Amino acid sequence: PLIMGVFPRLNSAETGRQFTPMADYVSEQLRRKVELATSKNFGSFWNAVTEQRYDIVHYNPYHYIRSAKTYRVIAHQQEFGKDAVGGALFVRKDSGITRVSQLRGRTIIFGGGKDAMLSYIAPRFLLMQAGLKEGDFKSEFAVNPPNALLALYHKQADAAGGGDILIDLPVVRNAIDTKELKVLATTEPLLFLPWAVKRSMPAKLRESVQSVMVGLERSDAGKKVLSSAKATGMGKAEDRDFNPHRKMATAVFGR
């Protein structure tokens, strides 16, 4: 069987509910068993990536650029009707903050860990462009991106980092008055969540997997698979599409 790994944005049970239909659909189309593998945490997921236990893997752009020697990107998942999303810094409108440089000495809450492309790496890149390096501000981390905006709204931080679409998500709009917040700065749009296959996978099989995944929108069954995965589409992707992500990660981490 081919093993499909999905990064643990959600708990194992929810990841299973969302992506089992995709594994089953790809299996049916390829006429070859595809098994979904979930992980309890990012550590165990990343170990599986480094050990190349996944034949097909879905993860964030930073995961991909770190594993590009052993995995080849074939597609990117569209969410919220967008192919690409900018990383952003948000502040309260009543904060008096109008420039990123004013965040020196302030508390910034990021919407994910240090491997989160849109919620940490891209906002850190914006801070670096304004001359702020680690140590020039206090970092806090929320359990997920929406919670970072909620913390900002409730004045638990001076700024929040996350994808520029955060402020428009229903889960955020239903919880707070987003008119009280504003985008302070944003990066160029960055291609969203990649799907990749092991580089050792035969070309014919790789092309078949890619064809099935980017063709999901063309059938009612495929559309149901996308809906289950909370995705609005799937497009082709290649390695050079992630060069902007590489530039930011290299600037932030120095490698």
Side-chain angles (χ1 to χ4, degrees), residues 50-252:
T50 56
E51 293 169 9
Q52 299 182 58
R53 280 187 256 145
Y54 303 134
D55 298 289
I56 306 168
V57 63
H58 178 47
Y59 42 15
N60 78 29
Y62 183 56
H63 293 142
Y64 166 64
I65 60 179
R66 285 179 66 196
S67 66
K69 287 183 179 178
T70 50
Y71 283 89
R72 183 191 299 264
V73 68
I74 58 167
H76 67 90
Q77 187 161 301
Q78 180 193 84
E79 295 186 357
F80 318 112
K82 291 178 176 284
D83 292 316
V85 176
L89 287 165
F90 300 87
V91 294
R92 286 186 57 93
K93 286 182 179 175
D94 61 7
S95 67
I97 298 170
T98 58
R99 300 185 312 278
V100 176
S101 58
Q102 290 175 272
L103 294 176
R104 187 179 297 275
R106 310 267 191 152
T107 298
I108 303 171
I109 187 162
F110 298 97
K114 291 188 176 183
D115 64 349
M117 190 73 227
L118 291 174
S119 299
Y120 180 77
I121 298 171
R124 275 290 315 275
F125 182 72
L126 290 170
L127 290 161
M128 289 183 74
Q129 286 186 310
L132 300 183
K133 54 188 182 297
E134 199 164 15
D136 290 338
F137 50 88
K138 183 182 176 186
S139 296
E140 299 282 350
F141 294 90
V143 294
N144 57 43
N147 277 19
L149 279 196
L150 269 57
L152 172 63
Y153 177 81
H154 291 295
K155 300 184 179 179
Q156 293 164 359
D158 300 297
D164 61 15
I165 57 170
L166 270 182
I167 204 162
D168 296 319
L169 297 187
V171 67
V172 173
R173 285 187 170 276
N174 293 338
I176 59 174
D177 180 7
T178 55
K179 294 188 184 70
E180 299 291 323
L181 307 180
K182 68 176 182 178
V183 173
L184 179 65
T186 184
T187 68
E188 65 183 286
L190 299 166
L191 199 66
F192 226 24
L193 303 164
W195 282 87
V197 297
K198 213 185 297 190
R199 283 192 174 270
S200 58
M201 181 181 284
K204 188 174 180 181
L205 179 56
R206 180 183 75 241
E207 289 162 7
S208 295
V209 173
Q210 183 182 49
S211 177
V212 170
M213 300 197 79
V214 300
L216 284 167
E217 296 167 81
R218 299 191 198 112
S219 70
D220 289 340
K223 287 175 183 174
K224 286 181 181 176
V225 168
L226 288 170
S227 178
S228 175
K230 302 291 190 287
T232 52
M234 194 83 74
K236 280 187 179 181
E238 54 187 319
D239 185 76
R240 65 182 180 185
D241 294 329
F242 294 89
N243 284 340
H245 309 67
R246 284 189 174 94
K247 173 186 169 187
M248 291 183 191
T250 300
V252 170

Side-chain angles (χ1 to χ4, degrees), residues 4-21 36-39 58 228-229:
M4 177 184 285
V6 174
F7 74 127
R9 271 204 288 179
L10 306 165
N11 62 47
S12 294
E14 189 58 34
T15 300
R17 277 192 290 272
Q18 286 192 13
F19 287 94
T20 295
L36 179 69
T38 60
S39 304
H58 178 47
S228 175

